[in-house]
Amino acid sequence: RLVLLARILLLLCLAASRTAAAKAKGKKSDAADELLYLTDSTLEVALEAHPLLLISVSVPGCGVCDAVDKRLRKAAPELRVKAKAAVKLGQLRIDSPDSPVLGRIVQGALSLPKLIVFREGEALDYTGDDSKESIVKTMLALASRDTVQTLRSVKQAERFLHLDSWSSQHADEEKPPRVVGFFPSNASAAYPVFRDTARKLQGLISFGECFDAAMQRKFLGAPAKKAVLQLVKADKRERKLTYQGPLAQPPLSRWVATHSVSLVQDLSTESSIESHMALGVPVFLLL
């Protein structure tokens, strides 16, 4: 009887150890796969939960999509550590050409593989390639930049606005325009409108904000008693345009987009036309 009891106890111990090993293996597998697996119905929730999200658009049976997803899985642990969980990676599976999400995030025809960056819910072009190293480098660079840059010194502001000595020595080089908001405080009624516009246009133009009274005196002549929103162009000569329109995101976005793009644009593709119209830029086509 003692021998039989010992055998039974041994079998129970073996069974328990196998179960524990299986659970540990499952937990290790789950921990190793850090991707979000998204669908039409779960994308919006993920965008609200993760301010900076890179997704791979995938369809069933797409071998190249699976290869990109594999590289995303390899990049995820490194980004989690280096970006301090500020970046999340995911796969969006599209099962139908009538997907309601597809039209929102892809302008023009869908080409695979497709990587899209979402910052604060807005879709941006992914500028790297689909290698693991490029994914990490590109997303770390995005994580290091805020949607709106807070200008804390005159030197920083001059560099941001291309008004520093280096820019003056390279006056013939093209410099992108900037949008800067001067506010008495972030409690100003214009501040959330400004932030919302910056989020909407972040792929088009850079935004900066200034709350410091001394800096405002330098750039405006006096501290801002109310919000002053300016678009600054410093390519050949310094030009400042001050917004005088309604305090709302759509008209402010149209004003910024209209005055920041070149008068003549190459709109040779359907997607380029759609992107300009989505920003509210008036488009006159010569066909």
Side-chain angles (χ1 to χ4, degrees):
R1 288 181 181 179
L2 290 175
V3 174
L4 180 60
L5 182 59
R7 288 180 177 178
I8 292 173
L9 289 173
L10 179 60
L11 289 173
L12 289 173
C13 289
L14 287 172
S17 64
R18 287 171 181 169
T19 302
K23 288 182 178 180
K25 184 178 179 181
K27 288 180 179 179
K28 184 177 180 181
S29 176
D30 292 340
D33 191 351
E34 300 183 16
L35 292 190
L36 296 175
Y37 291 92
L38 307 171
T39 63
D40 288 348
S41 60
T42 60
L43 177 62
E44 291 298 330
V45 175
L47 294 181
E48 292 180 6
H50 304 287
L52 186 55
L53 174 64
L54 173 65
I55 66 166
S56 164
V57 181
S58 178
V59 297
C62 175
V64 291
C65 301
D66 293 339
V68 171
D69 292 340
K70 184 177 180 180
R71 289 190 280 274
L72 285 177
R73 281 191 286 272
K74 290 183 178 179
E78 184 173 347
L79 278 170
R80 173 172 48 78
V81 174
K82 291 184 175 179
K84 297 180 173 60
V87 178
K88 194 66 179 177
L89 307 182
Q91 176 207 75
L92 175 65
R93 177 61 65 94
I94 302 295
D95 294 312
S96 168
D98 300 322
S99 163
V101 174
L102 200 57
R104 176 196 161 187
I105 65 174
V106 179
Q107 294 176 342
L110 173 63
S111 58
L112 298 174
K114 182 75 172 179
L115 288 168
I116 302 175
V117 176
F118 286 91
R119 185 195 281 274
E120 298 185 38
E122 292 296 322
L124 305 174
D125 289 334
Y126 173 75
T127 56
D129 59 50
D130 59 14
S131 68
K132 179 245 184 183
E133 292 74 19
S134 182
I135 291 168
V136 171
K137 180 180 178 180
T138 303
M139 297 310 294
L140 284 176
L142 285 171
S144 68
R145 295 195 297 268
D146 293 328
T147 304
V148 178
Q149 184 174 339
T150 301
L151 306 175
R152 296 185 170 88
S153 69
V154 171
K155 186 174 182 180
Q156 180 194 9
E158 288 179 339
R159 187 165 57 248
F160 175 77
L161 297 171
H162 305 300
L163 302 177
D164 56 346
S165 58
W166 185 92
S167 298
S168 63
Q169 293 170 11
H170 298 79
D172 293 333
E173 295 184 13
E174 183 177 354
K175 304 175 187 67
R178 307 292 198 191
V179 178
V180 60
F182 299 94
F183 303 95
S185 73
N186 58 11
S188 168
Y191 187 64
V193 176
F194 179 79
R195 295 285 307 195
D196 197 27
T197 303
R199 179 182 59 81
K200 190 73 175 176
L201 300 183
Q202 58 187 301
L204 175 70
I205 189 171
S206 296
F207 283 69
E209 61 188 19
C210 176
F211 302 100
D212 184 84
M215 289 177 59
Q216 293 172 359
R217 188 178 291 108
K218 160 76 175 177
F219 291 100
L220 300 177
K225 295 182 178 179
K226 63 177 184 178
V228 178
L229 310 181
Q230 292 185 337
L231 189 145
V232 180
K233 299 182 178 182
D235 41 9
K236 299 294 184 182
R237 57 186 176 85
E238 180 186 348
R239 289 170 291 162
K240 295 180 181 178
L241 304 176
T242 302
Y243 180 68
Q244 304 288 350
L247 194 58
Q249 180 266 314
L252 178 57
S253 293
R254 284 193 296 272
W255 180 82
V256 171
T258 301
H259 287 88
S260 61
V261 299
S262 301
L263 183 60
V264 178
Q265 293 281 312
D266 179 12
L267 304 181
S268 55
T269 65
E270 183 179 347
S271 61
S272 63
I273 297 173
E274 290 174 348
S275 64
H276 275 70
M277 294 181 69
L279 292 171
V281 179
V283 176
F284 177 77
L285 297 177
L286 295 177
L287 303 176

